[in-house]
Amino acid sequence: MTRSRLLAAAAALIFPAAAMAETIEGSVDFGGKAPTAGKLHREADPYCAKKTMTDPSVLVKSGKLENVWVHVTKGAKEIAKPPSESVEMDQKDCMYEPRMITAVVGQKIQAKNGDPILHNVHTYLGSATLFNKGMPNDKAAPIEYVAKDEGMMKWKCDVHPWMRGYIGVSKSGLQAVTKSDGSFKIDNVPPGKYTVEAWHEKYGTKTQEVTVEAGKPAKVTFKYDGTEKGGA
Amino acid sequence: MPDLRLSDAEAANVTAYLMTLKSDQKYPEQKTSPGERQKLAAQGKELIAKYGCFGCHNIKGFENAQKIGTELTEHGRKGVELLDFGDVQYFTEDPRHHQTYANWVWEKLHVPRVFAYERVETRMPQFDFTDEESLALLTFLKGQTGETPPPEYRTGMNEVQAAVYKGERLVFWNGCRNCHVVEKRGGKIRDQFNDENQSFAPPILTAEGWKVQPHWLFGFLKGPTPLRPWLTVRMPTFHFTDADATDIVHYFAAASNKSFPYLTAEAPQPEGERLRQTEALFKELQCVNCHVVGQLRPNQDPASAAPNFLLAKERLRPDWIPVWLKNPQALMDGTRMPSFWDFSDEAHPVSPSKLFDGDSKAQIEALRDYLMHLESPKSVPPPKTAATPRPPRRPAKSKRG
């Protein structure tokens, strides 16, 4: 290692990137008419049938879309250190809880079964199965998995075909999921040029180029109108 | 000359006419002396020896002469470095012009003396081969390697390979791979299914010969009965002959390197305490949440339904069941069957259940034995077999030929 590189490495330790990092924030808008959420057909399993539920795949409130994974796909220079705490995906009342969450490559993901009945956790990256494990009841030991690759990790239960969960996995950790007001905020973004992608399970992806300057948050708005197709 | 069936008189007339066509041309008188003639004859003999006329013609005095051409028996083995390209260089970027065996032969056949130069005389005559003839000759020569093909290119080496070879032809001619993935190939129809309805696609038949019992598969091929009656795609009846059906069953067994046609079903019937624990385990893992016993449960979503357990004892190879239960993904990538046990550390597997003292292997063996003896419960009516698909209008012709 050369002397100047050593100095640069030392400087990085003394002045962590976060000190001069900004945010990318904004919202995901939904134009057009939000589809009426249909009733989920959960009659097949007597336990699940006890509670009626509607399809949560499209959640729109005042023209804002919830559960959109917004993440940096290009431009990130650093690889995030995986947080020590696990990301938890629970199965409760025959639904995944939360429906969408994020994880960093190398981070532990833990699946729990909060129901007294059999669920199988069948996860996919694209169309390839990552793992498929049965959890006979709420006493089943949690499944532990370490996120290996970037991308949208899909969760399905083959016993209860309506169950869907999503974990957005990223290397840089520059990612967020929109809240019920459609807003999102990606922290610790060093100044630079980025490609930011929004992903929704029904409506697929949208991308934007974003320039982050020191001293002010970069604002981004994504717009869906409900005619898009894609996603899971 | 065809037979024109001429009478003697007709033949005489034709002869008389032909005689009138005699030319008046006089041949030049031989001015050579007897000594010169002798010299010329000796020269002619040398030329015959040089050009090897005796290769085709019988010529007195050349009965034991050696042929002049190159030995072609193993010509196909020759490397480019053994071929004399003379002054002909093909050093252009175009690969068609490179110095290759094929290019050498091709040129040689078209312009036989093309590779001659001051020190090397070539004597091959011009045969005016057409391109087609040249290609045929090139192909033949390339095959003159004087060796038998390596074992992997030979068929019928042993019984197993012969069975696979025979079966592949039947699989091909009957179009099995249009719907099924057979031994990792085919199954194009699966593209028509998406993530949501993948379970309605025709089954993958890789390692099928390990999974199913030969006699069951034979019966199924002769008269397919739906395993999953809720599917809309259905296996057609091909009206296979006994011989063809046997060959197909043998093919699957051979492709998986499994015994054919007989096997011992080693699965002792669970009794007493073992039976009680097995039933508890069966219940704990909730196998019948997806698997059908007889027929679909009321309200059961066909999208989540899995094969009928009552068929297991007739259909499945008992040695396959434990391997499947240990890690279904390893046998069928993407299957909806979950793994309940964790065998990543083979010596210390992790079980989801405390039954059988948490012994994963004992649990799996117990489930296998239970399945291999599972009878239709009295409350559940037997599976419907009336849904046999209609036979096609005319029997499928055997296209083997």
Side-chain angles (χ1 to χ4, degrees):
Chain A
M1 194 183 266
T2 63
R3 192 182 163 80
S4 60
R5 273 211 198 149
L6 257 177
L7 283 173
L13 284 174
I14 299 161
F15 311 107
M20 45 180 189
E22 304 303 333
T23 61
I24 298 176
E25 54 189 72
S27 67
V28 178
D29 295 354
F30 190 86
K33 196 174 171 284
T36 321
K39 184 179 164 252
L40 290 177
H41 291 283
R42 293 152 47 102
E43 300 83 7
D45 192 310
Y47 176 82
C48 308
K50 282 187 216 160
K51 284 190 182 170
T52 46
M53 289 195 186
T54 51
D55 181 4
S57 58
V58 180
L59 297 176
V60 178
K61 211 191 265 174
S62 322
K64 304 285 181 183
L65 189 57
E66 190 181 341
N67 284 343
V68 178
W69 178 39
V70 184
H71 61 123
V72 167
T73 53
K74 269 185 209 156
K77 286 175 188 68
E78 286 173 46
I79 294 171
K81 188 172 166 270
S84 55
E85 67 271 20
S86 317
V87 170
E88 280 185 18
M89 184 61 100
D90 198 0
Q91 297 163 98
K92 237 175 152 77
D93 293 326
C94 308
M95 298 294 263
Y96 284 111
E97 178 56 42
R99 188 169 185 88
M100 189 185 270
I101 194 167
T102 62
V104 172
V105 170
Q107 191 172 6
K108 247 189 226 162
I109 294 171
Q110 206 177 50
K112 288 180 171 174
N113 185 1
D115 288 333
I117 54 156
L118 168 77
H119 289 302
N120 77 309
V121 183
H122 196 161
T123 58
Y124 297 83
L125 190 66
S127 58
T129 293
L130 295 174
F131 64 85
N132 177 4
K133 290 187 173 168
M135 303 185 84
N137 51 45
D138 45 3
K139 290 179 204 74
I143 297 168
E144 298 216 330
Y145 176 81
V146 177
K148 284 189 195 81
D149 295 299
E150 273 192 308
M152 179 47 81
M153 182 181 181
K154 272 186 281 175
W155 293 55
K156 277 186 182 182
C157 172
D158 295 305
V159 187
H160 308 111
W162 63 85
M163 287 175 67
R164 289 287 184 284
Y166 302 94
I167 297 186
V169 180
S170 131
K171 255 187 215 166
S172 64
L174 301 180
Q175 55 181 346
V177 174
T178 57
K179 297 177 190 160
S180 59
D181 63 356
S183 72
F184 67 90
K185 189 174 162 205
I186 304 173
D187 287 320
N188 300 330
V189 190
K193 280 190 174 178
Y194 298 94
T195 305
V196 180
E197 184 184 270
W199 183 99
H200 184 266
E201 60 175 283
K202 274 266 168 352
Y203 303 126
T205 57
K206 303 250 176 196
T207 53
Q208 282 194 41
E209 305 298 319
V210 181
T211 304
V212 176
E213 289 166 18
K216 57 175 181 182
K219 298 268 182 193
V220 186
T221 306
F222 288 98
K223 285 192 174 72
Y224 284 92
D225 59 20
T227 58
E228 298 91 346
K229 284 203 166 64
Chain B
M1 172 83 183
D3 179 5
L4 299 167
R5 293 176 304 281
L6 302 174
S7 68
D8 286 354
E10 285 168 333
N13 288 344
V14 171
T15 310
Y17 168 71
L18 287 175
M19 292 305 279
T20 65
L21 298 179
K22 231 166 103 180
S23 161
D24 288 337
Q25 195 189 341
K26 293 263 191 293
Y27 289 99
E29 226 177 284
Q30 296 224 341
K31 286 174 186 161
T32 48
S33 66
E36 274 175 312
R37 260 181 271 165
Q38 228 172 12
K39 207 173 144 196
L40 281 174
Q43 245 178 43
K45 201 175 176 185
E46 264 174 48
L47 284 169
I48 285 175
K50 180 176 170 186
Y51 288 103
C53 310
F54 48 84
C56 295
H57 304 279
N58 279 329
I59 305 172
K60 203 178 165 194
F62 289 93
E63 291 83 357
N64 297 319
Q66 286 290 311
K67 283 183 182 157
I68 62 155
T70 313
E71 159 81 54
L72 295 180
T73 313
E74 296 195 0
H75 196 265
R77 287 177 72 178
K78 280 200 174 179
V80 172
E81 70 282 0
L82 294 177
L83 299 172
D84 191 350
F85 281 82
D87 294 330
V88 183
Q89 303 290 335
Y90 295 99
F91 290 131
T92 73
E93 290 299 309
D94 189 340
R96 286 174 301 174
H97 297 161
H98 288 178
Q99 291 196 340
T100 62
Y101 177 86
N103 280 341
W104 189 89
V105 173
W106 188 262
E107 286 301 314
K108 182 83 182 164
L109 291 172
H110 279 79
V111 189
R113 296 183 190 177
V114 68
F115 300 123
Y117 54 104
E118 61 205 38
R119 282 182 292 111
V120 173
E121 196 181 7
T122 54
R123 292 168 282 178
M124 177 161 149
Q126 176 60 264
F127 288 101
D128 288 329
F129 292 121
T130 64
D131 282 1
E132 261 173 51
E133 287 168 338
S134 302
L135 187 61
L137 282 163
L138 169 61
T139 309
F140 172 76
L141 285 172
K142 190 70 190 153
Q144 294 296 94
T145 59
E147 291 163 347
T148 43
E152 64 266 33
Y153 294 109
R154 277 182 272 168
T155 56
M157 289 293 289
N158 59 38
E159 200 196 339
V160 169
Q161 283 168 318
V164 170
Y165 177 69
K166 224 173 178 183
E168 274 292 349
R169 284 163 57 103
L170 284 164
V171 165
F172 175 77
W173 284 115
N174 290 294
C176 306
R177 285 202 172 94
N178 292 339
C179 294
H180 297 285
V181 176
V182 179
E183 301 305 339
K184 295 184 181 163
R185 286 187 288 135
K188 190 77 186 144
I189 207 173
R190 296 186 83 84
D191 296 352
Q192 305 297 316
F193 294 82
N194 57 34
D195 282 3
E196 302 302 313
N197 59 16
Q198 197 62 234
S199 58
F200 295 126
I204 292 168
L205 300 182
T206 298
E208 185 72 2
W210 180 17
K211 181 178 179 178
V212 300
Q213 299 179 25
H215 82 268
W216 175 85
L217 185 53
F218 179 84
F220 183 81
L221 288 169
K222 294 288 287 184
T225 48
L227 297 174
R228 294 174 291 169
W230 52 88
L231 292 191
T232 47
V233 292
R234 53 174 62 171
M235 168 85 175
T237 306
F238 284 90
H239 296 284
F240 291 120
T241 61
D242 281 1
D244 281 357
T246 305
D247 284 347
I248 294 173
V249 178
H250 196 176
Y251 162 75
F252 279 111
S256 297
N257 222 352
K258 288 287 156 185
S259 61
F260 173 85
Y262 304 111
L263 62 102
T264 312
E266 275 182 37
Q269 185 155 12
E271 283 168 341
E273 174 58 17
R274 186 163 184 253
L275 176 63
R276 195 195 61 75
Q277 287 209 43
T278 313
E279 279 176 337
L281 181 63
F282 193 71
K283 218 168 180 180
E284 191 179 323
L285 298 182
Q286 297 164 66
C287 310
V288 295
N289 226 321
C290 294
H291 283 282
V292 171
V293 181
Q295 59 183 18
L296 288 173
R297 284 179 286 114
N299 282 331
Q300 184 169 5
D301 183 351
S304 72
N308 186 353
F309 271 156
L310 290 183
L311 296 169
K313 61 176 175 295
E314 293 288 318
R315 177 168 171 255
L316 299 180
R317 285 201 192 231
D319 58 336
W320 176 85
I321 297 173
V323 185
W324 171 251
L325 288 177
K326 272 167 82 172
N327 189 356
Q329 296 295 329
L331 293 190
M332 201 181 286
D333 189 24
T335 179
R336 294 182 307 132
M337 170 78 180
S339 48
F340 288 95
W341 292 268
D342 185 352
F343 273 85
S344 44
D345 180 1
E346 186 75 27
H348 306 97
V350 181
S351 166
S353 169
K354 292 193 172 57
L355 289 156
F356 293 96
D357 296 328
D359 182 343
S360 302
K361 281 179 187 161
Q363 291 169 352
I364 285 174
E365 277 169 21
L367 285 175
R368 171 200 64 196
D369 298 347
Y370 184 71
L371 276 185
M372 293 308 287
H373 295 279
L374 191 65
E375 295 287 345
S376 173
K378 291 202 172 63
S379 56
V380 179
K384 277 184 195 165
T385 47
T388 312
R390 251 185 306 163
R393 254 170 274 162
R394 60 196 158 84
K397 270 188 215 154
S398 173
K399 288 172 187 156
R400 300 172 69 193

